[in-house]
Amino acid sequence: MATTIIEPFRIKSVEPLRFTSREQRIKILEEAFYNPFLVRADDVLIDLLTDSGTSAMSSRQWAAMMEGDESYAGSKSFYRFETAVQKITGMKNIIPTHQGRASEKILFTITGGKGKYFLSNTLFDTTRANIEFSGATGIDLLTEAGLQPSVPAPFKGNIDLEAMEKIILEKGAENIAMVIITITNNSGGGQPVSMENIRAASRICKKYGVAFFIDACRFAENCYFIKQREEGYAQKTILEIANELFSCADGCTMSAKKDAFANIGGFLALNDAALTQECRNLLVITEGFPTYGGLAGRDLEAIAVGLEEIVQEDYLKYRIRSMEYIGEKLEAAGIPFVKPVGGHAVYLDAKAFLPHVPVHQYPGLALSNELYIEGGIRSVEIGSLMFGKYAEDGALIPAPMELVRLAIPRRVYTQSHIDYVAEVIIEVFNKRASVKGYEIAYEAPLLRHFTARLRPVS
């Protein structure tokens, strides 16, 4: 019997890739101030910068877009979208937004502010930025296993429950704006969170009267890991697991650009009527009318279909196996990476990959740039460039880990593309002693990694 797990789809339309030489890429990177975000997409061969908004939509999604109702108010496309979100989350009030960070901006503007704290397993960059922009403080409480890249564990994305309760008591429950669990834990290596951990975090929040939210960008991938790894879930459907997971929360934010296969869009889902009204009031000012929220009707239709497709187990089985496939190749070559591989990406351990590059010279960025020079692969640093802070004396306070994320867009690349990616990583590893670090020439006050300009350390 054949055992190869094949793509559960056929390719109907293709997009050509542009090839560049090593010499061209060196020049391109220099002109982009050594920041992969500033490289033009046309100059990238394999783009693994993000899996956000980069998925290939299905024929059903494209067909649904043709039925988009662009009515300003009360669009029938909104009600299809609302029904699809409610079927998964079970939440009463659904607010569409143009993407996940818009949901965060609205929610955190209302619930945040100076003196407030947001506790999380690990906040992603835009989530943290919106928290800090409100004047509040974000605190990451990743479980100890999640801080050890080379040590495998089934649920390395979990929040540290003991630390979470301790901080609630230290800061005072009235000062905790919310606990927000990111699934899967993107900044923590794309690692899943267990249902047991989510339930326990929810109980602690209820005990102290603290709001409990889910950052649901990759909820389906997280639910598949629960089905595979957690006792009692093997016979449950992905939809059943998702329903149970969201039933633990007071609300959720989601970027539909990830696990809904959409190129744009997101939502805020809530149970609290009063908070919903406040959020809708702000939505009207910043996004649009409550039944379109910054999106065209065609986008609402694409998201509704995408949410149906993402809970299909054949797809998730293929998706997670694809990640394992590249992990097996890197393991065989002795490449240091976060183990086990995550649901949407492979995370190289840049600190172990380039031990000679100190953290203040950003080893993650150095590795990311070398992958581009060697093979035209664009990735993203998740380390001290993205999350580093400064002490009062100006010294760098480094991030807990120095990682390079290779995020695989959904339904976009084939096995031969992934084979090529592995070969380039291995080639860079063999030449790693010659890789040098970088220093910052310019940085913005928030989300500096998006627009920073850098230069090689001489």
Side-chain angles (χ1 to χ4, degrees):
M1 179 179 176
T3 57
T4 299
I5 296 175
I6 64 171
E7 289 84 351
F9 51 82
R10 293 182 298 187
I11 297 169
K12 184 176 283 190
S13 179
V14 297
E15 177 185 358
L17 295 173
R18 190 174 83 84
F19 291 83
T20 55
S21 68
R22 181 185 181 89
E23 291 70 27
Q24 286 175 315
R25 292 192 293 271
I26 290 171
K27 188 173 187 297
I28 288 165
L29 197 57
E30 181 182 3
E31 291 175 348
F33 303 100
Y34 300 97
N35 185 343
F37 278 102
L38 304 182
V39 173
R40 294 186 180 190
D42 195 43
D43 292 327
V44 176
L45 182 61
I46 307 289
D47 202 344
L48 308 182
L49 182 76
T50 181
D51 63 320
S52 178
T54 57
S55 299
M57 291 203 299
S58 69
S59 55
R60 281 190 63 221
Q61 284 181 290
W62 285 109
M65 289 180 74
M66 296 304 293
E67 294 188 341
D69 176 4
E70 306 305 339
S71 301
Y72 186 89
S75 160
K76 63 185 179 184
S77 296
F78 166 75
Y79 294 107
R80 289 176 186 155
F81 165 86
E82 181 185 53
T83 298
V85 176
Q86 287 177 332
K87 183 178 179 180
I88 288 167
T89 67
M91 292 179 185
K92 299 173 185 174
N93 308 299
I94 311 301
I95 300 174
T97 58
H98 82 272
Q99 62 184 78
R101 73 187 66 178
S103 300
E104 294 168 351
K105 179 66 166 64
I106 291 168
L107 182 63
F108 301 160
T109 296
I110 293 166
T111 60
K114 191 174 181 180
K116 294 290 186 178
Y117 297 88
F118 289 75
L119 312 185
S120 180
N121 52 345
T122 312
L123 298 164
F124 197 56
D125 55 355
T126 55
T127 315
R128 179 175 293 280
N130 275 309
I131 287 168
E132 292 177 352
F133 189 75
S134 81
T137 301
I139 301 176
D140 292 337
L141 302 169
L142 183 60
T143 184
E144 183 62 31
L147 295 170
Q148 303 173 53
S150 63
V151 181
F155 293 104
K156 293 173 73 171
N158 284 355
I159 192 168
D160 185 327
L161 297 166
E162 186 177 336
M164 172 186 145
E165 188 165 17
K166 182 180 178 183
I167 289 184
I168 291 173
L169 293 171
E170 283 179 357
K171 305 295 184 184
E174 69 280 6
N175 296 316
I176 308 299
M178 68 179 62
V179 171
I180 183 163
I181 301 288
T182 307
I183 57 171
T184 54
N185 190 331
N186 191 1
S187 298
Q191 298 296 307
V193 181
S194 71
M195 188 73 80
E196 180 183 19
N197 191 252
I198 289 167
R199 279 206 226 94
S202 178
R203 284 196 298 269
I204 292 170
C205 286
K206 284 182 172 63
K207 177 180 175 181
Y208 295 104
V210 173
F212 181 59
F213 274 68
I214 300 290
D215 177 345
C217 291
R218 300 171 182 87
F219 78 92
E221 291 172 4
N222 199 99
C223 289
Y224 186 80
F225 280 122
I226 289 172
K227 182 179 176 71
Q228 295 298 306
R229 298 179 182 177
E230 194 162 358
E231 187 177 352
Y233 291 92
Q235 303 307 315
K236 294 197 174 191
T237 67
I238 300 300
L239 182 59
E240 287 170 339
I241 296 169
N243 289 162
E244 180 178 339
L245 188 154
F246 285 111
S247 73
C248 299
D250 299 303
C252 73
T253 62
M254 182 170 175
S255 166
K257 296 166 68 177
K258 283 85 169 175
D259 264 2
F261 297 111
N263 300 135
I264 197 69
F267 60 82
L268 177 57
L270 303 155
N271 284 323
D272 185 274
L275 179 57
T276 299
Q277 190 58 55
E278 286 189 83
C279 289
R280 282 194 175 130
N281 291 341
L282 189 52
L283 176 92
V284 172
I285 297 170
T286 61
E287 291 283 294
F289 194 75
T291 56
Y292 77 87
L295 291 172
R298 56 183 174 269
D299 299 318
L300 294 169
E301 295 280 1
I303 294 167
V305 174
L307 288 172
E308 293 175 6
E309 293 180 345
I310 194 62
V311 296
Q312 293 171 2
E313 197 166 324
D314 284 344
Y315 163 75
L316 289 166
K317 182 179 182 181
Y318 148 77
R319 172 70 167 167
I320 302 307
R321 180 67 192 112
S322 298
M323 299 300 114
E324 293 170 349
Y325 176 78
I326 189 170
E328 288 164 2
K329 284 183 168 290
L330 299 183
E331 178 73 15
I335 308 292
F337 65 96
V338 176
K339 302 173 187 174
V341 290
H344 71 287
V346 172
Y347 292 70
L348 303 178
D349 182 357
K351 192 181 288 188
F353 199 114
L354 302 175
H356 60 285
V357 178
V359 292
H360 67 273
Q361 293 180 8
Y362 307 108
L365 179 78
L367 176 52
S368 182
N369 283 348
E370 207 62 29
L371 293 173
Y372 177 74
I373 291 170
E374 185 66 34
I377 298 167
R378 179 157 62 171
S379 55
V380 67
E381 183 260 17
I382 298 186
S384 292
L385 180 62
M386 183 180 284
F387 289 118
K389 301 287 185 182
Y390 292 115
E392 289 184 7
D393 63 358
L396 177 71
I397 302 172
M401 294 184 285
E402 305 292 335
L403 305 176
V404 170
R405 185 188 71 180
L406 298 109
I408 313 296
R410 295 161 185 79
R411 305 190 293 207
V412 171
Y413 292 116
T414 66
Q415 182 173 324
S416 60
H417 288 117
I418 298 305
D419 287 338
Y420 173 81
V421 169
E423 288 170 7
V424 171
I425 294 170
I426 293 166
E427 188 64 27
V428 171
F429 187 65
N430 291 336
K431 301 176 181 177
R432 63 192 181 279
S434 63
V435 178
K436 295 182 179 179
Y438 290 81
E439 60 187 10
I440 296 174
Y442 161 79
E443 62 182 288
L446 289 173
L447 296 171
R448 67 181 183 182
H449 55 290
F450 284 148
T451 57
R453 297 181 178 186
L454 299 108
R455 54 182 170 241
V457 173
S458 58

